[in-house]
Amino acid sequence: MPYCKPCYNNEHGMKCEVCREFITGHILKYNDKSYHYPCVSCKSCSKPFTDGAALSVKGGQFIHNDCKKLNKSGTTRGDAKAVKAIATNLADEPVHSGDLTEFDEVCLEHHNKLRAKHNAAPLTWSEKCAEHARMWAEHLADIDSLAHDSSSGMGENCGYFASSRAGSKSDTVWAENVCDLWYSEIKSYSFSKNDYQPQTGHFTQMIWKGTQRMGSAIVKQGNKVYIVANYFPAGNFMGKYKENIEK
């Protein structure tokens, strides 16, 4: 039978659990609840879903399928040849003596404050790591997505924020926010197991004892913020967690 839209919604319509408006277009259903796709966000990258997007549910939270694949590997170590090549490239890098940007200074300080909690020595600044981080952050902004550079040979953490205040918030705030975001994975890490565990790679790279240097970068594009940190030597090597991760 024919209905006008208001009457159809009143009799048969479904309301979104988030915005409480009737749903038109694709309906995302989970545990007998209905949602607009754009009203929920990916637990990994924090981006809202496009209408009808392919996704999975993990721990009662929605996640892009691409993000799910990415998170299985944790942070990126790169292949053996890349790790060896970057070790040669960075072996003779001089100690950085110049000034750091506000973001870089706070990011380094925040890393070292958190590393101290786990008896890990403070990191020093690597301009070569920072150069790669700048390049990769710009690349992520260009493709408007999160991805790791698996060929860098460095450890790598990536972060993304969407905020109407992206341009007005200070770089200090973004540095603290992303470090706290990565470190928050400690809640999912079992120190009794102390080995590779999914969804904890950003945290373990931050406090990895064998890592000595880091460089970071931030790129803002509209209401989006992309952040990359690269580390040397890379962390998160299988079989090396017990000697590099301390509670």
Side-chain angles (χ1 to χ4, degrees):
M1 296 183 62
Y3 286 87
C4 65
K5 186 179 294 184
C7 289
Y8 179 86
N9 282 337
N10 288 333
E11 290 191 34
H12 306 290
M14 295 182 181
K15 285 189 175 182
C16 173
E17 287 291 323
V18 178
C19 71
R20 303 308 301 168
E21 297 291 332
F22 285 111
I23 301 173
T24 58
H26 292 93
I27 300 173
L28 174 59
K29 298 197 71 173
Y30 178 69
N31 276 356
D32 296 323
K33 294 182 179 180
S34 302
Y35 305 86
H36 287 109
Y37 274 78
C39 283
V40 293
S41 300
C42 174
K43 64 167 290 189
S44 177
C45 70
S46 300
K47 291 183 178 180
F49 293 96
T50 57
D51 199 26
L55 55 85
S56 301
V57 180
K58 186 175 179 66
Q61 295 179 292
F62 301 107
I63 184 171
H64 288 109
N65 286 348
D66 288 344
C67 291
K68 183 179 178 181
K69 293 176 183 177
L70 176 64
N71 286 333
K72 285 184 178 179
S73 61
T75 51
T76 302
R77 295 192 303 267
D79 58 35
K81 289 183 179 179
V83 171
K84 185 176 181 179
I86 202 65
T88 302
N89 186 31
L90 292 177
D92 298 323
E93 183 182 16
V95 176
H96 183 76
S97 57
D99 294 331
L100 298 180
T101 67
E102 176 188 8
F103 174 82
D104 293 336
E105 184 174 0
V106 174
C107 197
L108 179 62
E109 289 178 354
H110 216 60
H111 269 74
N112 288 336
K113 181 178 72 174
L114 296 171
R115 286 173 64 84
K117 294 182 178 182
H118 301 272
N119 201 28
L123 302 175
T124 58
W125 186 257
S126 167
E127 189 58 28
K128 290 187 178 180
C129 286
E131 287 175 359
H132 184 274
R134 293 181 199 118
M135 178 276 294
W136 196 247
E138 290 172 358
H139 169 70
L140 297 183
D142 287 341
I143 65 173
D144 192 21
S145 182
L146 279 184
H148 284 292
D149 181 4
S150 59
S151 63
S152 72
M154 306 176 193
E156 186 173 271
N157 281 351
C158 298
Y160 165 84
F161 298 95
S163 170
S164 60
R165 299 179 57 202
S168 59
K169 282 186 179 180
S170 71
D171 286 352
T172 295
V173 172
W174 292 122
E176 292 174 346
N177 284 354
V178 78
C179 289
D180 289 341
L181 176 66
W182 293 336
Y183 188 79
S184 68
E185 293 176 355
I186 188 175
K187 294 179 291 187
S188 302
Y189 192 78
S190 170
F191 287 93
S192 59
K193 180 181 178 181
N194 212 8
D195 205 342
Y196 166 74
Q197 296 162 53
Q199 307 295 327
T200 61
H202 299 94
F203 160 68
T204 50
Q205 174 59 88
M206 287 185 80
I207 67 164
W208 194 265
K209 287 186 174 182
T211 297
Q212 301 167 359
R213 298 178 236 169
M214 71 164 289
S216 58
I218 180 171
V219 172
K220 301 175 185 177
Q221 186 165 280
N223 65 343
K224 300 174 182 179
V225 180
Y226 291 91
I227 296 171
V228 176
N230 282 117
Y231 305 86
F232 175 78
N236 293 341
F237 279 98
M238 299 297 286
K240 300 290 185 179
Y241 281 77
K242 290 183 180 179
E243 63 194 75
N244 283 283
I245 302 295
E246 185 174 325
K247 187 173 181 179

